[in-house]
Amino acid sequence: MNLNLDDTIAALASAAGPGGMSLIRVSGPQTRDIIGAMFLPFDVRRWEVSERAQNHTGRIVVSSMSSSIPVSVYFWPNARSYTGQISAEIHLPGSPPLVDAVLADLFHAGARPAEGGEFTLRAFLAGKIDLVQAEAVLGVIDASSQNELCVALDQLGGGISGRFSHIRQQLLELLADLEAGLDFVDEDIEFVTRPEVQRRLTESRDELLDIERQAHNRMQSVGRPRVALAGLPNAGKSTLFNALVGTQSAIVSDEAGTTRDYLSQLITWNNSTWELIDTAGWEPVNEGIEGLAQQLRTDQWQRADLIILCEAKDHPSTDTATDRQLIDHILAFGPPVMRIRTKADLMMNRNTDTAHTSVLEVSARLGDGLDALNHAIAEKLTGNGASESFWLGSTAARCHDSLAAALDAIGHAIDATNANWGDEIVTGELRQALNHIGRIVGAVYTDDVLDQVFSRFCIGK
């Protein structure tokens, strides 16, 4: 990626293709001169002496066209822009040929085409945002549900960055206190007591541990949440799967064990989206193709964010050793489990026990209870991680190793403090922890890290 900040860059920042309005973004030291060569503002004086962000209206002259085009130019003449440079946005009619012509004239006047993510990269390098917030820009663009958008916006707003900044500041202050004591070691002056060092280190470690737990949860579901249907053979899982996705994707039969593989389909309910997975019915492990089906099923359960345990209403669960084995097997995987009663229509006119009245009942054949089930799934997913998530899965994955290394360094510093080792040992571990936290927020970075983050951006962002 070209890191020459002296270049003035330009690119289409709105969606490609025809539309009511398009937006061209320009940033760099020569922004005013380059746009000024084409832009005819209605208020020339206001454009020339503008010292604060303003909206200017006028017309833009396009060399390949016989008439000028009405536009609005939002101009930031100082470092208070998104990129920290002189910047502008040209709002013009959303005609692709017109956009191409304006860009061609901007490039001819001295701008160069921006690379993918270069505007956000400049914002990061200017200190406008940290690396975690930069990743959130991409998260906002790629969000496919209301929840994903909320997580990305919270991260962009500095939710997780503020926590890391607080921890980093606390450790920097502790490091300063310890190093001040090292400067006066001959005078036997103690700037901070050992119990105080231990307390401050423990507080920072506990907060990092909480962040690490959230990172682990996010990495288990980097993309959309996964919801797996589970149950005994012939429990109605495939029929329910077809009813929920609205297609006949799964083969349905009264014969137990019809599902050998697993199927998946995206489900969108209101503002929530998840991947629904139909798995083979649970049986004791067999060899051959049955054993392979069971292994595929187990893999899907392990990766699920929520397991829907389907119990056919004409076969109440927990009555046999096999049923109890199934429940114990599912609970061993850790994800939340929602128990439902399938085939409710088969028992409509019979007297049944009411011991499980709190369990949701559905009839895939009649469509009864499907809306309630989707609502319950969305609510369960939100209540078990989505609402607690304060950063994106991609950020959690990138930060995983640095977060673990920072925790190790702080743990070593605590051990050194408890063992009453010299302050130089403790400060050495503190510097290591600060270095790893700096990598997370971008206070310490390499070109490889920047390429990893910004190579995923599209041009214009």
Side-chain angles (χ1 to χ4, degrees), residues 388-422:
E388 295 180 0
S389 299
F390 46 70
W391 57 352
L392 301 167
S394 56
T395 304
R398 176 183 66 82
C399 299
H400 177 263
D401 290 343
S402 294
L403 189 53
L407 279 166
D408 283 345
I410 293 177
H412 293 154
I414 292 175
D415 292 341
T417 302
N418 292 338
N420 205 32
W421 292 350

Side-chain angles (χ1 to χ4, degrees), residues 255-312:
E255 181 181 348
T258 301
T259 303
R260 302 283 186 174
D261 202 344
Y262 71 89
L263 296 173
S264 67
Q265 187 78 31
L266 289 182
I267 298 288
T268 299
W269 175 258
N270 291 338
N271 292 319
S272 298
T273 301
W274 60 86
E275 184 180 0
L276 183 67
I277 303 162
D278 181 27
T279 65
W282 187 85
E283 294 176 299
V285 176
N286 296 308
E287 297 180 354
I289 191 170
E290 292 85 359
L292 178 59
Q294 297 304 313
Q295 183 59 51
L296 289 172
R297 176 218 64 213
T298 299
D299 291 343
Q300 294 305 313
W301 288 2
Q302 288 176 325
R303 298 169 58 194
D305 297 280
L306 175 65
I307 295 177
I308 306 296
L309 175 56
C310 301
E311 303 169 346

Side-chain angles (χ1 to χ4, degrees), residues 36 45 53 55 60 104 107 111 164 227 352 368 382 388 399 426 441 450:
R45 174 66 178 169
N55 176 26
I60 197 163
F107 300 148
F164 277 121
V227 179
T352 60
D368 294 340
T382 301
E388 295 180 0
C399 299
V426 180
V441 298
L450 296 186

Side-chain angles (χ1 to χ4, degrees), residues 1-25:
M1 182 173 288
N2 194 328
L3 300 181
N4 189 351
L5 301 182
D6 291 331
D7 289 346
T8 297
I9 57 175
L12 175 66
S14 56
M21 188 71 66
S22 290
L23 187 157
I24 293 175
R25 183 173 291 158

